[in-house]
Amino acid sequence: MMPPEEESPDGDRDGGLVLLHGPKSGSTRKQGCDPFAQTQRSKLQHRRARINQQINKEMRMRAGAENLFRATSNHKVKETVALELSYVNSNLQLLKEELEELNSSMDVYQNESESISVPMIPLGLKETKELDLLVPLKDFISEHYGEEGVLYEKEIKEFMELRQAMRTPSRNEAGLELLMEYYNQLYFLDSRFFPPSKTLGVFFHWYDSLTGVPSHQRALAFEKGSVLFNLGALHTQIGARQDRASLPGLNQAIDAFQQAAGAFNYLKENFSNAPSLDMSAASLTMLVRLMVAQVQECVFEKMTLLRAQNDFLARLQLAQEAARVEDVYSLVHQTMSQPHVKDYVPFSWTTMVQVKSEHFKALSHYFAAIALCDCPAPSDAELLEQEKAFLQFHVTMPEGPSLRVLLQDPEERRKLGKAHLKKAIMKHEEAMRIHGLCKILRKMDILQEVLSFAHKRSLSKYSEIDHEEDFFETGEAPDIHPKTHQKPEIKSPNFSQVKVTDLFHRLGPLSVFSAKNKWYPARRVHLMRGENGFGFTLRGDSPVLIAGVIPGGCAAEAGLKEGDYIISVNGKDCKWSKHAEVVQLLKSTGKEGVDIGVITLQGSDCPKAMDRKAAVMSSGSGMLKSNKENSRKSLMNSKSASTLLVWSKKSKRSKKSTYSGVPFTAVGDNEAMY
């Protein structure tokens, strides 16, 4: 992973937002989707926004009524308020049911091909309110940076436009890049405008994706976490829309669900105390497991496309893959049934997961049956390999003859196959029964078609192998040992894929000009060149540091001090200037002298201390620190695969002395005297 870099506006970049691969800052992804486009998905999102607003209104009314109920002692008023509360609670329940139905609209997000596939569960995007940052950021720039806030209106508006665009990302790679781009800009916003000791005074409002309940916080971490959630949700929508009847479509679906699992898992591990239920640890654990299960389902479908259907070992592998899918969906169902989760997860989701668990258990027994019944007995050359595979196939060995006899005797194979089919039919019927309990799933024709087809196929096969002269009682088939040949991978977001440049780079390098640093008011000093030059030593780049001042020299008499940073020379901004550029400006001064603008960081004691700090900030490998919700420090280790952002700065410090007209008495390494 390549770490994002803080670059000079005079470098190769144009100061805009830059992709690692693709167009520069004028890319179409900054526009988002047309919010007025009448697609099925946009209509759902509009309905979600409307329901969220109504829930917000009803909750405010309920809070006011509850306060009045507690405050009043008038019996009649209490009765009236109690009646109003029952009305409001009834409205909230209806809105909750409407939102649940909306979250259950899985068919809208599925692909439109004619192939029959079991629907996947996608997530709707979290909604947010518009945010006006113009005044707060302008005020902060004036107060903290000592510059005219009005000069940065263009940058502030560009950031607000980016935020507005990311509210409606397109359901493709450009939409993902848009969310990543905005998240990366939040790092710079955090560093520039959110000091550790105070807030900016703005609230970030987001609605819960599952319940519609509004939440707000001043912490920028809430904004970051919500964007991350939407990144995962968008991956689920992209995964659900793939045509899983083809190998490329399956691979894309697998990748999308793995990326979604990675986003939710990163959110769970790095953000805590989220104010909304959909971002709680329990909810995110459930979502990660759901995504992993959907990946496993796609892997099974991929196996059915790749494996030869008439091969004994291939059918055993399919049976074990199906058992693995059943296993992971059972775990998801257990997670959804937990007390802190079941109250807000849509009933259709819980039912769908349970249906899939039963359906794939039935499929595992079906493929075991056709492996035994449709494939011929093994030859002597094949027997050893089939014995080895069958030895690890069942959880417990089936009753009856030895394994070798079982595999070589067609009648024994038929008996065991019949037992597996009997269990498959029972599980198919259980899946159909659970499916019938949910009104929303009953409306899903494609799911009904899949379940019905699988059930009829098992019945047909059972009728085919069932003989009238069978007087033995069909035994209980043992469960199949779950096994997969492609373990799902939880892919953490790779935000370095979309490289951005700080919109507010004109404020200066973040190593100095950040919200956490404080400095004394800028000073303008007029210097005349003496016989031995100006009498100071310079070090580093962007900005250049005054590392030493010669006692009694011109610089000392003018009031320059060790630890000062040069921010301008003769009115030219030098915050981003390289060492050689500042030297050239100083050399070009005549007898009239030079005006130098400098600042001094508060708390800086000596140039050596400043150099140590600069060396730490210039280091290519920072310390790894979890981006907890209420922590605003984002030093990331570029080698960690689990980091969300890898923010480090290339060394800006000059490695050699570049210019001097006088002896280097008492001048340290890497310093030059002028």
Side-chain angles (χ1 to χ4, degrees), residues 296 300 313-327 363-365 367-368 389-394 480-485:
Q296 202 70 67
F300 168 79
L313 293 177
R315 285 172 170 172
L316 291 188
Q317 288 174 352
L318 279 176
Q320 290 187 301
E321 286 284 354
R324 178 60 184 161
V325 179
E326 181 268 329
D327 199 38
L363 289 183
S364 70
H365 286 283
F367 282 110
F390 212 71
L391 196 61
Q392 302 173 346
F393 182 69
H394 291 105
I480 294 158
H481 182 69
K483 184 179 178 182
T484 182
H485 293 266

PDB file of all heavy atoms in Angstrom, residues 296 300 313-327 363-365 367-368 389-394 480-485:
ATOM      1  N   GLN A 296     -19.514 -17.268   1.175  1.00  0.00           N
ATOM      2  CA  GLN A 296     -19.479 -18.730   1.150  1.00  0.00           C
ATOM      3  C   GLN A 296     -20.538 -19.294   0.208  1.00  0.00           C
ATOM      4  O   GLN A 296     -20.300 -20.294  -0.479  1.00  0.00           O
ATOM      5  CB  GLN A 296     -19.696 -19.272   2.567  1.00  0.00           C
ATOM      6  CG  GLN A 296     -19.186 -20.678   2.773  1.00  0.00           C
ATOM      7  CD  GLN A 296     -17.674 -20.780   2.750  1.00  0.00           C
ATOM      8  OE1 GLN A 296     -17.003 -20.273   3.626  1.00  0.00           O
ATOM      9  NE2 GLN A 296     -17.129 -21.431   1.731  1.00  0.00           N
ATOM     10  N   PHE A 300     -19.915 -21.670  -3.163  1.00  0.00           N
ATOM     11  CA  PHE A 300     -20.645 -22.894  -3.517  1.00  0.00           C
ATOM     12  C   PHE A 300     -21.156 -22.811  -4.954  1.00  0.00           C
ATOM     13  O   PHE A 300     -21.028 -23.771  -5.733  1.00  0.00           O
ATOM     14  CB  PHE A 300     -21.814 -23.109  -2.555  1.00  0.00           C
ATOM     15  CG  PHE A 300     -22.777 -24.174  -3.002  1.00  0.00           C
ATOM     16  CD1 PHE A 300     -22.483 -25.515  -2.822  1.00  0.00           C
ATOM     17  CD2 PHE A 300     -23.974 -23.834  -3.626  1.00  0.00           C
ATOM     18  CE1 PHE A 300     -23.363 -26.502  -3.250  1.00  0.00           C
ATOM     19  CE2 PHE A 300     -24.853 -24.806  -4.057  1.00  0.00           C
ATOM     20  CZ  PHE A 300     -24.547 -26.146  -3.865  1.00  0.00           C
ATOM     21  N   LEU A 313     -16.034 -37.647  -6.668  1.00  0.00           N
ATOM     22  CA  LEU A 313     -15.335 -36.775  -5.720  1.00  0.00           C
ATOM     23  C   LEU A 313     -15.828 -35.331  -5.816  1.00  0.00           C
ATOM     24  O   LEU A 313     -15.931 -34.629  -4.802  1.00  0.00           O
ATOM     25  CB  LEU A 313     -13.823 -36.836  -5.966  1.00  0.00           C
ATOM     26  CG  LEU A 313     -13.151 -38.178  -5.667  1.00  0.00           C
ATOM     27  CD1 LEU A 313     -11.668 -38.127  -6.013  1.00  0.00           C
ATOM     28  CD2 LEU A 313     -13.332 -38.561  -4.202  1.00  0.00           C
ATOM     29  N   ALA A 314     -16.153 -34.889  -7.032  1.00  0.00           N
ATOM     30  CA  ALA A 314     -16.648 -33.516  -7.215  1.00  0.00           C
ATOM     31  C   ALA A 314     -17.982 -33.336  -6.499  1.00  0.00           C
ATOM     32  O   ALA A 314     -18.238 -32.290  -5.886  1.00  0.00           O
ATOM     33  CB  ALA A 314     -16.800 -33.203  -8.700  1.00  0.00           C
ATOM     34  N   ARG A 315     -18.832 -34.375  -6.548  1.00  0.00           N
ATOM     35  CA  ARG A 315     -20.134 -34.273  -5.878  1.00  0.00           C
ATOM     36  C   ARG A 315     -19.983 -34.309  -4.363  1.00  0.00           C
ATOM     37  O   ARG A 315     -20.731 -33.652  -3.639  1.00  0.00           O
ATOM     38  CB  ARG A 315     -21.049 -35.386  -6.368  1.00  0.00           C
ATOM     39  CG  ARG A 315     -21.566 -35.114  -7.772  1.00  0.00           C
ATOM     40  CD  ARG A 315     -22.312 -36.270  -8.362  1.00  0.00           C
ATOM     41  NE  ARG A 315     -22.984 -35.889  -9.601  1.00  0.00           N
ATOM     42  CZ  ARG A 315     -23.583 -36.734 -10.416  1.00  0.00           C
ATOM     43  NH1 ARG A 315     -23.599 -38.027 -10.117  1.00  0.00           N
ATOM     44  NH2 ARG A 315     -24.173 -36.318 -11.526  1.00  0.00           N
ATOM     45  N   LEU A 316     -19.024 -35.081  -3.881  1.00  0.00           N
ATOM     46  CA  LEU A 316     -18.751 -35.050  -2.441  1.00  0.00           C
ATOM     47  C   LEU A 316     -18.285 -33.658  -2.005  1.00  0.00           C
ATOM     48  O   LEU A 316     -18.683 -33.158  -0.945  1.00  0.00           O
ATOM     49  CB  LEU A 316     -17.682 -36.086  -2.078  1.00  0.00           C
ATOM     50  CG  LEU A 316     -18.039 -37.568  -2.191  1.00  0.00           C
ATOM     51  CD1 LEU A 316     -16.923 -38.416  -1.596  1.00  0.00           C
ATOM     52  CD2 LEU A 316     -19.357 -37.881  -1.494  1.00  0.00           C
ATOM     53  N   GLN A 317     -17.445 -33.041  -2.836  1.00  0.00           N
ATOM     54  CA  GLN A 317     -16.966 -31.684  -2.521  1.00  0.00           C
ATOM     55  C   GLN A 317     -18.117 -30.680  -2.518  1.00  0.00           C
ATOM     56  O   GLN A 317     -18.174 -29.793  -1.660  1.00  0.00           O
ATOM     57  CB  GLN A 317     -15.893 -31.267  -3.525  1.00  0.00           C
ATOM     58  CG  GLN A 317     -14.574 -32.004  -3.338  1.00  0.00           C
ATOM     59  CD  GLN A 317     -13.565 -31.695  -4.430  1.00  0.00           C
ATOM     60  OE1 GLN A 317     -13.881 -31.035  -5.423  1.00  0.00           O
ATOM     61  NE2 GLN A 317     -12.347 -32.182  -4.263  1.00  0.00           N
ATOM     62  N   LEU A 318     -19.032 -30.824  -3.473  1.00  0.00           N
ATOM     63  CA  LEU A 318     -20.201 -29.938  -3.505  1.00  0.00           C
ATOM     64  C   LEU A 318     -21.046 -30.113  -2.244  1.00  0.00           C
ATOM     65  O   LEU A 318     -21.553 -29.135  -1.680  1.00  0.00           O
ATOM     66  CB  LEU A 318     -21.054 -30.223  -4.740  1.00  0.00           C
ATOM     67  CG  LEU A 318     -20.601 -29.594  -6.062  1.00  0.00           C
ATOM     68  CD1 LEU A 318     -21.491 -30.049  -7.200  1.00  0.00           C
ATOM     69  CD2 LEU A 318     -20.605 -28.073  -5.962  1.00  0.00           C
ATOM     70  N   ALA A 319     -21.204 -31.366  -1.821  1.00  0.00           N
ATOM     71  CA  ALA A 319     -21.983 -31.631  -0.607  1.00  0.00           C
ATOM     72  C   ALA A 319     -21.326 -30.972   0.606  1.00  0.00           C
ATOM     73  O   ALA A 319     -22.007 -30.384   1.459  1.00  0.00           O
ATOM     74  CB  ALA A 319     -22.104 -33.140  -0.390  1.00  0.00           C
ATOM     75  N   GLN A 320     -20.005 -31.045   0.693  1.00  0.00           N
ATOM     76  CA  GLN A 320     -19.302 -30.437   1.819  1.00  0.00           C
ATOM     77  C   GLN A 320     -19.324 -28.914   1.736  1.00  0.00           C
ATOM     78  O   GLN A 320     -19.403 -28.231   2.760  1.00  0.00           O
ATOM     79  CB  GLN A 320     -17.854 -30.952   1.875  1.00  0.00           C
ATOM     80  CG  GLN A 320     -17.766 -32.419   2.294  1.00  0.00           C
ATOM     81  CD  GLN A 320     -16.344 -32.882   2.519  1.00  0.00           C
ATOM     82  OE1 GLN A 320     -15.507 -32.826   1.624  1.00  0.00           O
ATOM     83  NE2 GLN A 320     -16.052 -33.351   3.737  1.00  0.00           N
ATOM     84  N   GLU A 321     -19.267 -28.383   0.521  1.00  0.00           N
ATOM     85  CA  GLU A 321     -19.383 -26.922   0.346  1.00  0.00           C
ATOM     86  C   GLU A 321     -20.768 -26.441   0.809  1.00  0.00           C
ATOM     87  O   GLU A 321     -20.886 -25.419   1.484  1.00  0.00           O
ATOM     88  CB  GLU A 321     -19.160 -26.525  -1.113  1.00  0.00           C
ATOM     89  CG  GLU A 321     -17.722 -26.580  -1.588  1.00  0.00           C
ATOM     90  CD  GLU A 321     -16.879 -25.421  -1.087  1.00  0.00           C
ATOM     91  OE1 GLU A 321     -17.435 -24.493  -0.459  1.00  0.00           O
ATOM     92  OE2 GLU A 321     -15.659 -25.447  -1.313  1.00  0.00           O
ATOM     93  N   ALA A 322     -21.806 -27.186   0.420  1.00  0.00           N
ATOM     94  CA  ALA A 322     -23.164 -26.823   0.837  1.00  0.00           C
ATOM     95  C   ALA A 322     -23.300 -26.901   2.354  1.00  0.00           C
ATOM     96  O   ALA A 322     -23.948 -26.049   2.983  1.00  0.00           O
ATOM     97  CB  ALA A 322     -24.187 -27.727   0.159  1.00  0.00           C
ATOM     98  N   ALA A 323     -22.670 -27.924   2.961  1.00  0.00           N
ATOM     99  CA  ALA A 323     -22.708 -28.046   4.425  1.00  0.00           C
ATOM    100  C   ALA A 323     -22.001 -26.877   5.086  1.00  0.00           C
ATOM    101  O   ALA A 323     -22.415 -26.404   6.151  1.00  0.00           O
ATOM    102  CB  ALA A 323     -22.060 -29.366   4.850  1.00  0.00           C
ATOM    103  N   ARG A 324     -20.935 -26.394   4.446  1.00  0.00           N
ATOM    104  CA  ARG A 324     -20.219 -25.225   4.981  1.00  0.00           C
ATOM    105  C   ARG A 324     -21.096 -23.972   4.907  1.00  0.00           C
ATOM    106  O   ARG A 324     -21.116 -23.155   5.837  1.00  0.00           O
ATOM    107  CB  ARG A 324     -18.923 -25.012   4.193  1.00  0.00           C
ATOM    108  CG  ARG A 324     -18.112 -23.799   4.612  1.00  0.00           C
ATOM    109  CD  ARG A 324     -17.693 -23.869   6.054  1.00  0.00           C
ATOM    110  NE  ARG A 324     -16.987 -22.660   6.462  1.00  0.00           N
ATOM    111  CZ  ARG A 324     -16.825 -22.275   7.719  1.00  0.00           C
ATOM    112  NH1 ARG A 324     -17.327 -23.008   8.706  1.00  0.00           N
ATOM    113  NH2 ARG A 324     -16.173 -21.171   8.009  1.00  0.00           N
ATOM    114  N   VAL A 325     -21.834 -23.812   3.818  1.00  0.00           N
ATOM    115  CA  VAL A 325     -22.757 -22.666   3.702  1.00  0.00           C
ATOM    116  C   VAL A 325     -23.819 -22.738   4.793  1.00  0.00           C
ATOM    117  O   VAL A 325     -24.147 -21.735   5.437  1.00  0.00           O
ATOM    118  CB  VAL A 325     -23.406 -22.624   2.300  1.00  0.00           C
ATOM    119  CG1 VAL A 325     -24.376 -21.445   2.208  1.00  0.00           C
ATOM    120  CG2 VAL A 325     -22.345 -22.499   1.214  1.00  0.00           C
ATOM    121  N   GLU A 326     -24.361 -23.934   5.001  1.00  0.00           N
ATOM    122  CA  GLU A 326     -25.363 -24.119   6.074  1.00  0.00           C
ATOM    123  C   GLU A 326     -24.776 -23.759   7.435  1.00  0.00           C
ATOM    124  O   GLU A 326     -25.427 -23.124   8.263  1.00  0.00           O
ATOM    125  CB  GLU A 326     -25.827 -25.582   6.070  1.00  0.00           C
ATOM    126  CG  GLU A 326     -26.878 -25.915   7.123  1.00  0.00           C
ATOM    127  CD  GLU A 326     -26.295 -26.418   8.431  1.00  0.00           C
ATOM    128  OE1 GLU A 326     -25.221 -27.054   8.382  1.00  0.00           O
ATOM    129  OE2 GLU A 326     -26.888 -26.173   9.509  1.00  0.00           O
ATOM    130  N   ASP A 327     -23.518 -24.115   7.642  1.00  0.00           N
ATOM    131  CA  ASP A 327     -22.836 -23.875   8.912  1.00  0.00           C
ATOM    132  C   ASP A 327     -22.716 -22.378   9.201  1.00  0.00           C
ATOM    133  O   ASP A 327     -23.029 -21.910  10.300  1.00  0.00           O
ATOM    134  CB  ASP A 327     -21.450 -24.530   8.852  1.00  0.00           C
ATOM    135  CG  ASP A 327     -20.859 -24.737  10.228  1.00  0.00           C
ATOM    136  OD1 ASP A 327     -21.605 -25.080  11.159  1.00  0.00           O
ATOM    137  OD2 ASP A 327     -19.646 -24.535  10.380  1.00  0.00           O
ATOM    138  N   LEU A 363     -29.361 -29.310   0.387  1.00  0.00           N
ATOM    139  CA  LEU A 363     -28.516 -29.494  -0.797  1.00  0.00           C
ATOM    140  C   LEU A 363     -27.316 -30.387  -0.497  1.00  0.00           C
ATOM    141  O   LEU A 363     -26.891 -31.176  -1.349  1.00  0.00           O
ATOM    142  CB  LEU A 363     -28.036 -28.138  -1.325  1.00  0.00           C
ATOM    143  CG  LEU A 363     -29.079 -27.241  -1.994  1.00  0.00           C
ATOM    144  CD1 LEU A 363     -28.423 -25.977  -2.527  1.00  0.00           C
ATOM    145  CD2 LEU A 363     -29.785 -27.975  -3.139  1.00  0.00           C
ATOM    146  N   SER A 364     -26.761 -30.245   0.709  1.00  0.00           N
ATOM    147  CA  SER A 364     -25.599 -31.082   1.050  1.00  0.00           C
ATOM    148  C   SER A 364     -25.987 -32.560   1.030  1.00  0.00           C
ATOM    149  O   SER A 364     -25.235 -33.402   0.520  1.00  0.00           O
ATOM    150  CB  SER A 364     -25.039 -30.682   2.419  1.00  0.00           C
ATOM    151  OG  SER A 364     -25.915 -31.040   3.472  1.00  0.00           O
ATOM    152  N   HIS A 365     -27.159 -32.871   1.556  1.00  0.00           N
ATOM    153  CA  HIS A 365     -27.613 -34.271   1.549  1.00  0.00           C
ATOM    154  C   HIS A 365     -28.003 -34.723   0.135  1.00  0.00           C
ATOM    155  O   HIS A 365     -27.799 -35.884  -0.228  1.00  0.00           O
ATOM    156  CB  HIS A 365     -28.781 -34.452   2.517  1.00  0.00           C
ATOM    157  CG  HIS A 365     -28.371 -34.432   3.957  1.00  0.00           C
ATOM    158  ND1 HIS A 365     -27.764 -35.501   4.572  1.00  0.00           N
ATOM    159  CD2 HIS A 365     -28.453 -33.455   4.902  1.00  0.00           C
ATOM    160  CE1 HIS A 365     -27.498 -35.194   5.844  1.00  0.00           C
ATOM    161  NE2 HIS A 365     -27.910 -33.959   6.062  1.00  0.00           N
ATOM    162  N   PHE A 367     -26.597 -33.711  -2.754  1.00  0.00           N
ATOM    163  CA  PHE A 367     -25.381 -34.008  -3.529  1.00  0.00           C
ATOM    164  C   PHE A 367     -24.689 -35.267  -3.012  1.00  0.00           C
ATOM    165  O   PHE A 367     -24.061 -35.999  -3.786  1.00  0.00           O
ATOM    166  CB  PHE A 367     -24.430 -32.814  -3.503  1.00  0.00           C
ATOM    167  CG  PHE A 367     -24.830 -31.714  -4.451  1.00  0.00           C
ATOM    168  CD1 PHE A 367     -25.314 -30.507  -3.985  1.00  0.00           C
ATOM    169  CD2 PHE A 367     -24.740 -31.903  -5.820  1.00  0.00           C
ATOM    170  CE1 PHE A 367     -25.698 -29.499  -4.854  1.00  0.00           C
ATOM    171  CE2 PHE A 367     -25.118 -30.904  -6.706  1.00  0.00           C
ATOM    172  CZ  PHE A 367     -25.604 -29.698  -6.225  1.00  0.00           C
ATOM    173  N   ALA A 368     -24.795 -35.529  -1.709  1.00  0.00           N
ATOM    174  CA  ALA A 368     -24.254 -36.782  -1.178  1.00  0.00           C
ATOM    175  C   ALA A 368     -25.001 -37.970  -1.791  1.00  0.00           C
ATOM    176  O   ALA A 368     -24.394 -38.992  -2.164  1.00  0.00           O
ATOM    177  CB  ALA A 368     -24.385 -36.804   0.342  1.00  0.00           C
ATOM    178  N   ALA A 389     -11.410 -39.984   0.753  1.00  0.00           N
ATOM    179  CA  ALA A 389     -12.341 -38.841   0.738  1.00  0.00           C
ATOM    180  C   ALA A 389     -13.577 -39.134   1.583  1.00  0.00           C
ATOM    181  O   ALA A 389     -14.054 -38.270   2.343  1.00  0.00           O
ATOM    182  CB  ALA A 389     -12.739 -38.514  -0.694  1.00  0.00           C
ATOM    183  N   PHE A 390     -14.100 -40.362   1.470  1.00  0.00           N
ATOM    184  CA  PHE A 390     -15.341 -40.705   2.168  1.00  0.00           C
ATOM    185  C   PHE A 390     -15.121 -40.854   3.673  1.00  0.00           C
ATOM    186  O   PHE A 390     -16.038 -40.675   4.467  1.00  0.00           O
ATOM    187  CB  PHE A 390     -15.913 -42.009   1.588  1.00  0.00           C
ATOM    188  CG  PHE A 390     -17.408 -42.063   1.624  1.00  0.00           C
ATOM    189  CD1 PHE A 390     -18.167 -41.267   0.785  1.00  0.00           C
ATOM    190  CD2 PHE A 390     -18.077 -42.901   2.507  1.00  0.00           C
ATOM    191  CE1 PHE A 390     -19.560 -41.306   0.816  1.00  0.00           C
ATOM    192  CE2 PHE A 390     -19.457 -42.945   2.554  1.00  0.00           C
ATOM    193  CZ  PHE A 390     -20.199 -42.139   1.709  1.00  0.00           C
ATOM    194  N   LEU A 391     -13.884 -41.168   4.050  1.00  0.00           N
ATOM    195  CA  LEU A 391     -13.544 -41.309   5.462  1.00  0.00           C
ATOM    196  C   LEU A 391     -13.721 -39.986   6.210  1.00  0.00           C
ATOM    197  O   LEU A 391     -14.059 -39.963   7.391  1.00  0.00           O
ATOM    198  CB  LEU A 391     -12.099 -41.804   5.586  1.00  0.00           C
ATOM    199  CG  LEU A 391     -11.668 -42.366   6.943  1.00  0.00           C
ATOM    200  CD1 LEU A 391     -12.498 -43.590   7.313  1.00  0.00           C
ATOM    201  CD2 LEU A 391     -10.179 -42.709   6.925  1.00  0.00           C
ATOM    202  N   GLN A 392     -13.509 -38.863   5.503  1.00  0.00           N
ATOM    203  CA  GLN A 392     -13.620 -37.532   6.109  1.00  0.00           C
ATOM    204  C   GLN A 392     -14.912 -36.823   5.707  1.00  0.00           C
ATOM    205  O   GLN A 392     -15.057 -35.627   5.926  1.00  0.00           O
ATOM    206  CB  GLN A 392     -12.420 -36.668   5.683  1.00  0.00           C
ATOM    207  CG  GLN A 392     -11.078 -37.262   6.063  1.00  0.00           C
ATOM    208  CD  GLN A 392      -9.917 -36.478   5.474  1.00  0.00           C
ATOM    209  OE1 GLN A 392     -10.088 -35.648   4.591  1.00  0.00           O
ATOM    210  NE2 GLN A 392      -8.718 -36.744   5.967  1.00  0.00           N
ATOM    211  N   PHE A 393     -15.842 -37.568   5.094  1.00  0.00           N
ATOM    212  CA  PHE A 393     -17.035 -36.940   4.537  1.00  0.00           C
ATOM    213  C   PHE A 393     -18.133 -36.734   5.571  1.00  0.00           C
ATOM    214  O   PHE A 393     -18.751 -35.670   5.635  1.00  0.00           O
ATOM    215  CB  PHE A 393     -17.551 -37.794   3.375  1.00  0.00           C
ATOM    216  CG  PHE A 393     -18.754 -37.207   2.686  1.00  0.00           C
ATOM    217  CD1 PHE A 393     -18.649 -36.048   1.936  1.00  0.00           C
ATOM    218  CD2 PHE A 393     -20.003 -37.808   2.793  1.00  0.00           C
ATOM    219  CE1 PHE A 393     -19.752 -35.500   1.298  1.00  0.00           C
ATOM    220  CE2 PHE A 393     -21.108 -37.275   2.161  1.00  0.00           C
ATOM    221  CZ  PHE A 393     -20.977 -36.113   1.415  1.00  0.00           C
ATOM    222  N   HIS A 394     -18.385 -37.748   6.402  1.00  0.00           N
ATOM    223  CA  HIS A 394     -19.460 -37.665   7.392  1.00  0.00           C
ATOM    224  C   HIS A 394     -18.918 -37.230   8.746  1.00  0.00           C
ATOM    225  O   HIS A 394     -17.757 -37.487   9.081  1.00  0.00           O
ATOM    226  CB  HIS A 394     -20.156 -39.021   7.546  1.00  0.00           C
ATOM    227  CG  HIS A 394     -20.961 -39.423   6.352  1.00  0.00           C
ATOM    228  ND1 HIS A 394     -20.541 -40.389   5.473  1.00  0.00           N
ATOM    229  CD2 HIS A 394     -22.157 -38.979   5.892  1.00  0.00           C
ATOM    230  CE1 HIS A 394     -21.450 -40.538   4.523  1.00  0.00           C
ATOM    231  NE2 HIS A 394     -22.441 -39.689   4.747  1.00  0.00           N
ATOM    232  N   ILE A 480     -23.140 -34.175   7.277  1.00  0.00           N
ATOM    233  CA  ILE A 480     -21.957 -34.087   6.407  1.00  0.00           C
ATOM    234  C   ILE A 480     -20.977 -33.080   6.991  1.00  0.00           C
ATOM    235  O   ILE A 480     -21.368 -31.992   7.437  1.00  0.00           O
ATOM    236  CB  ILE A 480     -22.387 -33.700   4.981  1.00  0.00           C
ATOM    237  CG1 ILE A 480     -23.223 -34.833   4.394  1.00  0.00           C
ATOM    238  CG2 ILE A 480     -21.195 -33.391   4.102  1.00  0.00           C
ATOM    239  CD1 ILE A 480     -24.120 -34.430   3.273  1.00  0.00           C
ATOM    240  N   HIS A 481     -19.732 -33.461   6.987  1.00  0.00           N
ATOM    241  CA  HIS A 481     -18.686 -32.602   7.546  1.00  0.00           C
ATOM    242  C   HIS A 481     -18.487 -31.380   6.645  1.00  0.00           C
ATOM    243  O   HIS A 481     -18.179 -31.522   5.467  1.00  0.00           O
ATOM    244  CB  HIS A 481     -17.384 -33.385   7.657  1.00  0.00           C
ATOM    245  CG  HIS A 481     -16.260 -32.604   8.256  1.00  0.00           C
ATOM    246  ND1 HIS A 481     -16.229 -32.226   9.585  1.00  0.00           N
ATOM    247  CD2 HIS A 481     -15.132 -32.108   7.703  1.00  0.00           C
ATOM    248  CE1 HIS A 481     -15.133 -31.549   9.824  1.00  0.00           C
ATOM    249  NE2 HIS A 481     -14.443 -31.458   8.696  1.00  0.00           N
ATOM    250  N   PRO A 482     -18.666 -30.148   7.170  1.00  0.00           N
ATOM    251  CA  PRO A 482     -18.507 -28.953   6.326  1.00  0.00           C
ATOM    252  C   PRO A 482     -17.041 -28.720   5.960  1.00  0.00           C
ATOM    253  O   PRO A 482     -16.146 -28.854   6.793  1.00  0.00           O
ATOM    254  CB  PRO A 482     -19.047 -27.818   7.211  1.00  0.00           C
ATOM    255  CG  PRO A 482     -18.941 -28.326   8.610  1.00  0.00           C
ATOM    256  CD  PRO A 482     -19.078 -29.805   8.545  1.00  0.00           C
ATOM    257  N   LYS A 483     -16.823 -28.388   4.709  1.00  0.00           N
ATOM    258  CA  LYS A 483     -15.464 -28.128   4.243  1.00  0.00           C
ATOM    259  C   LYS A 483     -15.528 -27.222   3.023  1.00  0.00           C
ATOM    260  O   LYS A 483     -16.412 -27.372   2.181  1.00  0.00           O
ATOM    261  CB  LYS A 483     -14.777 -29.450   3.879  1.00  0.00           C
ATOM    262  CG  LYS A 483     -13.322 -29.313   3.481  1.00  0.00           C
ATOM    263  CD  LYS A 483     -12.729 -30.692   3.163  1.00  0.00           C
ATOM    264  CE  LYS A 483     -11.283 -30.586   2.711  1.00  0.00           C
ATOM    265  NZ  LYS A 483     -10.712 -31.914   2.358  1.00  0.00           N
ATOM    266  N   THR A 484     -14.608 -26.275   2.940  1.00  0.00           N
ATOM    267  CA  THR A 484     -14.595 -25.367   1.787  1.00  0.00           C
ATOM    268  C   THR A 484     -13.215 -25.360   1.156  1.00  0.00           C
ATOM    269  O   THR A 484     -12.201 -25.552   1.832  1.00  0.00           O
ATOM    270  CB  THR A 484     -14.995 -23.938   2.184  1.00  0.00           C
ATOM    271  OG1 THR A 484     -14.999 -23.108   1.016  1.00  0.00           O
ATOM    272  CG2 THR A 484     -14.022 -23.343   3.197  1.00  0.00           C
ATOM    273  N   HIS A 485     -13.188 -25.139  -0.137  1.00  0.00           N
ATOM    274  CA  HIS A 485     -11.923 -25.060  -0.872  1.00  0.00           C
ATOM    275  C   HIS A 485     -11.527 -23.616  -1.144  1.00  0.00           C
ATOM    276  O   HIS A 485     -10.492 -23.368  -1.761  1.00  0.00           O
ATOM    277  CB  HIS A 485     -12.040 -25.834  -2.193  1.00  0.00           C
ATOM    278  CG  HIS A 485     -12.195 -27.305  -1.996  1.00  0.00           C
ATOM    279  ND1 HIS A 485     -11.132 -28.188  -2.014  1.00  0.00           N
ATOM    280  CD2 HIS A 485     -13.288 -28.066  -1.714  1.00  0.00           C
ATOM    281  CE1 HIS A 485     -11.561 -29.417  -1.786  1.00  0.00           C
ATOM    282  NE2 HIS A 485     -12.870 -29.376  -1.609  1.00  0.00           N
TER     283      HIS A 485
END
